[in-house]
Amino acid sequence: MRQVRSIWNGAISFGLVSIPIKLVNATESHSISFRQIHTEDGGRIRYRKVCELEDREVTQAEIGKAYEDADGTMIPITDEDLAQLPIPTAKTIEIVAFVPADRIDPLQMDAAYYLSANGVPAAKPYTLLREALKRSQKVAIAKYALRGRERLGMLRVVDDVIAMHGLLWPDEIRVPEGVAADTNVTVRDKELDLADALMDTLGEVDLADLHDDYREAVEEMITAKASGEQPATTPSPAPGAKVLDLMAALEKSVREAKESRGEQPEPKETETKAEVRRISPRATPKQTPGKKSTSTATKKTTTKKSQSQSQSPTSAKKSTRTTKKTTATKTAATKTTATATAKKTPAKKATPRKRTA
């Protein structure tokens, strides 16, 4: 770990074991800060610390702390006053318990720090506490004082370092009263199944791959303006449509998520049914018109009669039986199939009739 300035020096109290440590910030902010300016001439706007009684600006060395009473009276408080408070955590991180990590509500999580062993003698007890936390698979709950107040903390192991998360006191967590939806809503199993499918499709992500797109865009804009160029503009995204059908929205979300991952989305059941309903009306007109079929049948009947007249009685009887069979076949089959059968039947029967004649 690169050298970072410690913000607090003290010790971890582990029963009768004392571990000298340094407190180092575990996080850093990458947000871009701006200055306030006078828009007319670009001049800096500064806040000056002025004494109300003397009406003059004062330096930082002249500024102290005070508590404002209910009637507006200022009660001065010095650093010595705070340092002499009879609390054991003034310079000590006092471990009070060891609990499973899942006992800690994430809502209580606050700032994070690294605890560094302060000096060679601290290495052995520091390592002892670290390995004990690893083997127990628990976290340590501790109390400590920082920036003028006593705080609650949680100690855990990160790689080979003991980290401490500041925790809010339980009474600092607001009860979520009136926050949840006050209407009675029933969620169907099919909706939950689609939600699960969407979660599975989105999958997991390596948090190390995530980055701040907004900060990068701000940096590019600043670079462009500094070089006299026109910053690139991005079209505003279209406003999201109001969700009227939750099932349709979930199905579309699953489809789009699969397409973004290069997967082939499965056809929806509702779309398949819709296609069947569209095909059915088109099939009906082909079966309904009877003009063409009737004329064709009439021509075939006339042809059969003329053939039967020119044939012998035996051939006529065979032709009659053939016609009856053909009629029965037409009745059992669909009209379209019957038309095809009617076309084929005369051609097949014509050869035997000629042979008989």
Side-chain angles (χ1 to χ4, degrees):
M1 184 176 65
R2 61 189 178 89
Q3 293 295 325
V4 186
R5 186 175 64 88
S6 62
I7 61 173
W8 185 88
N9 292 345
I12 299 176
S13 175
F14 178 32
L16 297 178
V17 178
S18 181
I19 311 171
I21 55 97
K22 294 180 180 180
L23 194 67
V24 177
N25 281 321
T27 61
E28 58 186 6
S29 175
H30 291 166
S31 61
I32 299 174
S33 59
F34 298 100
R35 302 292 186 186
Q36 290 186 328
I37 62 170
H38 188 198
T39 55
E40 291 186 3
D41 53 21
R44 281 280 307 276
I45 302 297
R46 299 179 182 273
Y47 292 96
R48 303 185 184 276
K49 298 178 180 180
V50 177
C51 176
E52 292 181 351
L53 298 179
E54 299 181 10
D55 194 20
R56 71 175 180 87
E57 186 177 353
V58 296
T59 63
Q60 186 63 35
E62 300 177 86
I63 299 175
K65 291 189 281 287
Y67 175 79
E68 184 176 3
D69 206 354
D71 59 358
T73 303
M74 293 295 179
I75 304 173
I77 304 294
T78 66
D79 292 338
E80 290 75 15
D81 295 333
L82 296 174
Q84 294 174 5
L85 290 176
I87 55 175
T89 57
K91 281 292 182 180
T92 304
I93 299 175
E94 183 183 6
I95 296 177
V96 297
F98 292 89
V99 300
D102 58 8
R103 287 270 304 276
I104 306 300
D105 189 339
L107 283 173
Q108 289 186 259
M109 295 288 190
D110 201 357
Y113 308 94
Y114 289 135
L115 304 181
S116 172
N118 191 2
V120 176
K124 181 64 179 281
Y126 182 94
T127 305
L128 172 65
L129 176 59
R130 183 190 67 197
E131 296 304 316
L133 287 171
K134 281 184 179 180
R135 190 166 71 172
S136 68
Q137 296 184 344
K138 293 183 178 181
V139 298
I141 303 300
K143 296 169 70 175
Y144 65 103
L146 183 65
R147 298 189 181 98
R149 56 169 293 193
E150 188 174 53
R151 303 169 186 266
L152 194 63
M154 178 191 74
L155 277 63
R156 69 184 183 97
V157 179
V158 177
D159 295 334
D160 288 331
V161 178
I162 298 177
M164 182 173 71
H165 295 268
L167 299 178
L168 299 175
W169 296 98
D171 59 0
E172 292 179 318
I173 305 296
R174 291 180 176 177
V175 178
E177 185 176 354
V179 178
D182 54 1
T183 57
N184 294 326
V185 178
T186 301
V187 179
R188 294 178 294 171
D189 290 339
K190 190 171 183 181
E191 293 170 337
L192 284 174
D193 293 340
L194 280 172
D196 290 340
L198 178 58
M199 292 168 64
D200 293 339
T201 304
L202 292 176
E204 298 181 357
V205 65
D206 186 354
L207 295 181
D209 295 336
L210 301 179
H211 58 278
D212 189 348
D213 295 325
Y214 179 79
R215 178 174 61 86
E216 292 179 359
V218 172
E219 290 175 346
E220 292 175 0
M221 177 194 65
I222 293 173
T223 302
K225 298 197 75 171
S227 59
E229 300 176 0
Q230 185 66 23
T233 57
T234 304
S236 301
K242 186 177 181 180
V243 178
L244 299 178
D245 188 343
L246 182 58
M247 289 290 292
L250 287 169
E251 290 173 350
K252 184 177 180 182
S253 299
V254 172
R255 249 187 348 266
E256 291 180 351
K258 287 184 177 181
E259 289 173 356
S260 66
R261 294 166 62 114
E263 299 179 9
Q264 186 67 25
E266 297 178 0
K268 295 193 305 179
E269 183 181 356
T270 53
E271 290 181 350
T272 305
K273 290 181 179 178
E275 290 178 1
V276 173
R277 287 197 295 269
R278 287 195 297 269
I279 291 172
S280 180
R282 289 200 300 268
T284 304
K286 293 181 180 179
Q287 299 173 358
T288 303
K291 293 182 179 180
K292 188 173 181 181
S293 301
T294 305
S295 60
T296 304
T298 304
K299 291 179 181 179
K300 290 175 181 174
T301 306
T302 306
T303 304
K304 288 177 183 179
K305 288 181 179 179
S306 61
Q307 289 178 352
S308 61
Q309 290 175 357
S310 60
Q311 292 171 352
S312 62
T314 306
S315 300
K317 290 180 182 180
K318 290 182 179 179
S319 177
T320 303
R321 286 196 298 272
T322 304
T323 303
K324 288 181 180 181
K325 291 179 181 179
T326 304
T327 304
T329 305
K330 288 181 181 179
T331 305
T334 60
K335 293 182 180 181
T336 305
T337 308
T339 303
T341 307
K343 290 179 180 179
K344 296 177 181 178
T345 304
K348 289 181 179 180
K349 299 298 181 178
T351 302
R353 284 196 292 270
K354 288 181 181 179
R355 290 176 182 174
T356 306

